[in-house]
Amino acid sequence: MKKVFILGLGLTMSSIAFKAQAQQSQSAANDQIRFGIRAGANLMNMGKISIGDQNYSTDSKVGFQAGVYADLPLGGGFAFLPEVMYSQKGAKVKETFAGNTAEFDAKVGYLDVPILIGFRPTPELTIFAGPQASFLLSQESSFKVNGEQVGDSFTNKKDYKKSIAGGVIGLGYNITPNINVNGRYAMDFQKSFNDDLNQDKLKNKGFALSLGYTF
């Protein structure tokens, strides 16, 4: 029994020492200017689309995101965390009204530039928030009524705004000083379509989860 107690005590002390060493290593990393790469997935929708006199909620679509980021310490547990990310967004909706079936499906590519401020309550955990500018890169969408396409070709970008202002809030966790996971909610403050289309409620919003590597 004495040997078991000594072994258990030794393992506990080793675990505490390892955790303390890891926290010290992470704290030292947090005090340095660092850069990294990130990739993951989005689950986005575009709010509501107006068809006739009715508004219909769009279903979410899974998309891809990838890009680069910087981690610039500001002191006091705060950090400046700018990013440049390619992000696939979009939505889909299918509704039947007055005997007609309307379908809208969109996959839109943006260059997202979040300007984030982070706070670290512990060396491993980061809470962040800030504004985001999104710049239109590409789109592939269709609007159909009873199976017939309405409007321009799938890849024409003229109906979409070229740039959109939005915001981001989320959490990051450093598994090691180099590897981290990141979850966030992003929402555009401006509508996705141009004014003449009368789609004021179509705005990108949703969640993203990614894995990052900091150099």
Side-chain angles (χ1 to χ4, degrees):
M1 180 66 69
K2 184 177 180 181
K3 291 182 179 179
V4 173
F5 174 76
I6 293 173
L7 178 60
L9 180 61
L11 291 174
T12 301
M13 294 302 294
S14 297
S15 176
I16 293 172
F18 177 79
K19 184 176 181 180
Q21 184 178 6
Q23 287 182 332
Q24 290 176 356
S25 177
Q26 185 63 60
S27 295
N30 290 343
D31 291 334
Q32 302 175 12
I33 296 175
R34 309 177 76 198
F35 300 91
I37 56 176
R38 188 187 311 285
N42 294 327
L43 184 63
M44 306 291 290
N45 67 62
M46 298 177 73
K48 294 184 178 181
I49 184 172
S50 298
I51 302 175
D53 296 329
Q54 299 293 324
N55 292 319
Y56 298 92
S57 297
T58 59
D59 295 323
S60 297
K61 292 189 68 171
V62 176
F64 172 74
Q65 65 164 200
V68 297
Y69 60 88
D71 189 330
L72 311 175
L74 298 175
F78 289 91
F80 179 47
L81 308 170
E83 301 180 354
V84 178
M85 303 285 292
Y86 170 75
S87 183
Q88 289 179 342
K89 305 177 185 181
K92 54 186 177 180
V93 63
K94 183 177 181 179
E95 295 286 347
T96 299
F97 60 99
N100 297 304
T101 300
E103 300 174 67
F104 175 74
D105 193 311
K107 182 172 67 176
V108 191
Y110 288 94
L111 185 69
D112 287 342
V113 184
I115 307 298
L116 306 174
I117 296 295
F119 175 71
R120 295 185 170 106
T122 71
E124 296 86 3
L125 181 65
T126 303
I127 304 168
F128 58 84
Q132 173 175 278
S134 299
F135 302 95
L136 179 66
L137 297 178
S138 64
Q139 77 88 14
E140 182 179 356
S141 63
S142 63
F143 184 74
K144 298 179 180 179
V145 176
N146 296 329
E148 296 291 330
Q149 183 184 339
V150 177
D152 296 319
S153 63
F154 291 168
T155 58
N156 195 311
K157 298 185 291 184
K158 74 178 185 66
D159 291 336
Y160 287 79
K161 285 185 176 293
K162 294 181 179 180
S163 62
I164 303 172
V168 173
I169 186 170
L171 295 173
Y173 186 81
N174 292 302
I175 302 172
T176 73
N178 298 104
I179 300 173
N180 62 83
V181 292
N182 187 288
R184 65 184 60 190
Y185 178 79
M187 178 178 180
D188 288 345
F189 301 146
Q190 296 175 295
K191 59 188 177 183
S192 303
F193 280 17
N194 290 323
D195 295 339
D196 58 352
L197 294 184
N198 299 316
Q199 294 292 344
D200 295 342
K201 297 183 179 180
L202 271 178
K203 299 178 181 179
N204 294 303
K205 58 182 180 180
F207 297 91
L209 182 65
S210 62
L211 183 67
Y213 186 87
T214 308
F215 299 98

